[in-house]
């Protein structure tokens, strides 16, 4: 068993320990892909070094015709084909370094007001959808132009297909932006320094957050939104 350094694993004959603190100290700014390879090498270093060059690392997620039809129908129904599409994901269970939902909605509002040829798609899902729609309607009062909600049916490949159609993904460090990296799509990550180390994105473009969403001041939020605008221009 390949595992992190723990008292119970150090003295187990069945375990080979990986000292994560050692990796961090001598291999700074390495992402999780590197760490997993480091784990794998512990099994048989000689075999690993011999065969690593022969491995195919094409792990890009593939979608199918069902997913393509779902997204085609969504785009057709909203008449948003052939637009500059931005996927903006405000949802994250585990990321504390992010914005509040209302601030993401403010960001959406600012983006569509400043970029006339942009449409924003917000992916939603069953667990959050009802509360999100309530907050969305409270914020916008009337149905906004160029901001659309895609409620997924729990099929993650639908989100992958949607990401493929976009110019850029904006998201905290969570599943959506990690999918974008797998698909080699440009993204702007609202990341902490720790997020960058563990979850480096495809194009390595981040708005660095050094406070949790509860700690951010109004000035902090305005600065974050402004930085996102400046970065977004590169992808449109």
């Amino acid at each position: 068993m390949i595992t992190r350094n723990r008292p119970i694993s150090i003295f187990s004959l069945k375990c080979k320990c990986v000292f994560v603190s050692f990796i961090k100290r001598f291999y700074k700014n390495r992402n999780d892909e590197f760490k997993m390879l480091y784990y794998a090498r512990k099994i048989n270093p000689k075999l690993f070094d011999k065969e690593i060059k022969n491995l195919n690392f094409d792990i890009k997620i593939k979608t199918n015709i069902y997913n393509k039809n779902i997204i085609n129908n969504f785009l057709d129904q909203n008449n948003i084909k052939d637009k500059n599409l931005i996927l903006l994901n405000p949802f994250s269970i585990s990321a504390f370094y992010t914005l509040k939902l209302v601030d993401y909605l403010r960001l959406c509002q600012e983006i569509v007001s400043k970029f006339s040829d942009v449409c924003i798609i917000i992916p939603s899902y069953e667990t959050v959808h009802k509360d999100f729609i309530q907050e969305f309607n409270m914020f916008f009062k009337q149905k906004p132009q160029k901001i659309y909600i895609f409620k997924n049916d729990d099929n993650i490949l639908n989100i992958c297909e949607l990401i493929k159609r976009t110019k850029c993904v904006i998201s905290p460090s969570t599943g959506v932006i990690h999918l974008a990296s797998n698909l080699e799509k440009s993204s702007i990550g609202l990341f902490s320094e720790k997020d960058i180390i563990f979850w480096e994105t495809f194009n390595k473009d981040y708005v660095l957050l050094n406070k949790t969403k509860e700690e951010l001041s109004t000035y902090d939020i305005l600065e974050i939104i402004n930085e996102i605008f400046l970065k977004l221009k590169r992808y449109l």
Side-chain angles (χ1 to χ4, degrees):
M1 182 182 296
I2 312 300
T3 181
R4 289 189 175 196
N5 173 24
R6 294 287 186 273
I8 194 170
S9 57
I10 289 175
F11 300 104
S12 172
L13 296 177
K14 296 181 179 180
C15 295
K16 288 188 178 182
C17 294
V18 174
F19 293 83
V20 176
S21 59
F22 174 88
I23 298 174
K24 289 180 181 177
R25 179 173 298 178
F26 293 98
Y27 300 94
K28 291 183 179 178
N29 298 323
R30 297 291 187 146
N31 60 18
D32 270 10
E33 180 182 356
F34 174 85
K35 294 187 182 72
M36 293 304 104
L37 290 174
Y38 189 91
Y39 274 59
R41 190 178 183 276
K42 294 287 285 187
I43 300 169
N44 189 329
K46 188 177 291 187
L47 180 63
F48 181 93
D49 293 341
K50 178 183 176 182
E51 299 294 342
I52 183 67
K53 62 182 179 297
N54 300 321
L55 293 182
N56 181 357
F57 285 95
D58 181 12
I59 56 172
K60 198 178 294 184
I61 297 170
K62 306 294 190 297
T63 57
N64 55 47
I65 190 64
Y66 170 82
N67 313 120
K68 289 176 171 56
N69 288 339
I70 290 287
I71 300 307
N72 283 337
N73 289 338
F74 171 76
L75 297 176
D76 286 340
Q77 288 168 8
N78 291 284
N79 194 28
I80 51 177
K81 277 196 171 182
D82 301 321
K83 304 283 187 180
N84 283 330
L85 299 183
I86 304 298
L87 188 73
L88 191 147
N89 170 52
F91 305 112
S92 174
I93 296 173
S94 57
F96 298 104
Y97 291 85
T98 182
L99 298 176
K100 293 180 180 177
L101 182 54
V102 66
D103 296 320
Y104 276 109
L105 296 177
R106 187 173 293 114
L107 172 62
C108 289
Q109 188 179 51
E110 294 292 327
I111 289 174
V112 296
S113 69
K114 289 191 165 76
F115 297 98
S116 59
D117 57 343
V118 162
C119 289
I120 294 176
I121 300 175
I122 303 174
S124 177
Y125 56 97
E126 187 63 40
T127 306
V128 302
H129 190 73
K130 183 177 178 181
D131 291 339
F132 170 61
I133 291 297
Q134 287 181 347
E135 188 148 1
F136 185 91
N137 292 335
M138 284 177 58
F139 182 87
F140 286 108
K141 309 301 183 194
Q142 296 180 344
K143 185 177 179 180
Q145 302 242 333
K146 301 190 295 183
I147 302 175
Y148 304 91
I149 300 168
F150 173 72
K151 183 185 178 185
N152 195 23
D153 62 1
D154 292 333
N155 188 330
I156 197 170
L157 294 181
N158 292 334
I159 300 298
C160 291
E161 183 62 32
L162 189 55
I163 289 171
K164 288 182 178 182
R165 314 294 183 94
T166 61
K167 290 288 185 72
C168 184
V169 172
I170 301 172
S171 173
S173 179
T174 190
V176 170
I177 200 166
H178 305 327
L179 291 173
S181 290
N182 174 271
L183 297 167
E184 298 185 354
K185 295 295 292 188
S186 296
S187 63
I188 300 171
L190 279 66
F191 277 33
S192 68
E193 288 186 1
K194 185 177 179 181
D195 291 327
I196 293 172
I197 293 171
F198 284 112
W199 295 101
E200 187 177 77
T201 61
F202 165 66
N203 59 311
K204 303 176 180 61
D205 199 358
Y206 313 103
V207 174
L208 188 62
L209 305 185
N210 54 19
K211 298 178 183 177
T212 68
K213 61 183 177 182
E214 305 300 337
E215 297 169 330
L216 292 171
S217 67
T218 301
Y219 176 78
D220 293 329
I221 294 164
L222 291 175
E223 287 288 295
I224 291 167
I225 290 175
N226 185 57
E227 190 173 350
I228 293 171
F229 286 151
L230 295 176
K231 290 179 178 295
L232 190 55
K233 290 178 182 179
R234 306 174 191 172
Y235 304 113
L236 300 177

